[in-house]
Amino acid sequence: RKATAVAEGAGGDDVLYLGADTVVALESEEGWALLGKPADAREAHEMLGRLSGTRHAVVTGVCVVRGADGEVFQGSERTWVVMREITSAEIEAYVASGEWEDKAGGYAIQETADAFVEALEGGGFDNVVGLPVGLTRELLRVAQG
């Protein structure tokens, strides 16, 4: 929707429009919980507490819209993140740092939250950051024809 909205408003024939969005998915007794960007520090603290000691999925959807005809090319990548137990003091310090702001799941692996991560499985670091480069390159290649 992001890429399509921009493409419709801009109207550039020789332009490709790129949109991406990332969610963190955590399996619970009730099913899968999708964690987007926390609204405030309290919610960031809660999310980090829920993710502590888990294996959770980070999924990024990527969409390319070709300006010439509005054709949409899309895909997604999933990376499993194994996160160690995070102490209350670590969560407090991390939330106080502000790094959680505008980050799905309330953490930024490309900043100091990498210290919480024990392993990545089945996907790339760049996906957890928020833009899977290989997938994006492939979608751009196909969209260019």
Side-chain angles (χ1 to χ4, degrees):
R1 290 187 290 200
K2 290 179 184 180
T4 301
V6 172
E8 289 172 355
D13 285 348
D14 294 331
V15 178
L16 297 175
Y17 300 91
L18 174 69
D21 219 345
T22 303
V23 296
V24 173
L26 177 63
E27 192 170 19
S28 68
E29 294 173 6
E30 297 83 36
W32 287 94
L34 298 181
L35 308 179
K37 298 173 183 177
D40 54 30
R42 181 200 54 76
E43 192 172 20
H45 192 281
E46 177 185 310
M47 284 184 184
L48 288 168
R50 290 178 69 187
L51 293 171
S52 175
T54 68
R55 179 179 182 264
H56 57 273
V58 175
V59 181
T60 302
V62 180
C63 177
V64 174
V65 178
R66 188 167 46 210
D69 59 8
E71 188 168 353
V72 174
F73 305 85
Q74 58 192 350
S76 64
E77 183 171 313
R78 179 189 64 209
T79 304
W80 291 101
V81 177
V82 179
M83 189 173 279
R84 68 171 173 79
E85 292 284 337
I86 310 169
T87 68
S88 294
E90 288 174 313
I91 292 174
E92 290 292 333
Y94 188 76
V95 171
S97 77
E99 286 183 15
W100 59 271
E101 294 182 38
D102 202 38
K103 305 295 188 291
Y107 71 94
I109 194 172
Q110 70 274 22
E111 296 180 26
T112 63
D114 65 337
F116 307 148
V117 176
E118 293 180 332
L120 299 178
E121 303 168 355
F125 177 85
D126 54 345
N127 181 55
V128 182
V129 171
L131 187 66
V133 175
L135 172 62
T136 302
R137 289 181 66 178
E138 178 61 16
L139 291 172
L140 290 169
R141 184 190 66 74
V142 171
Q144 288 174 332

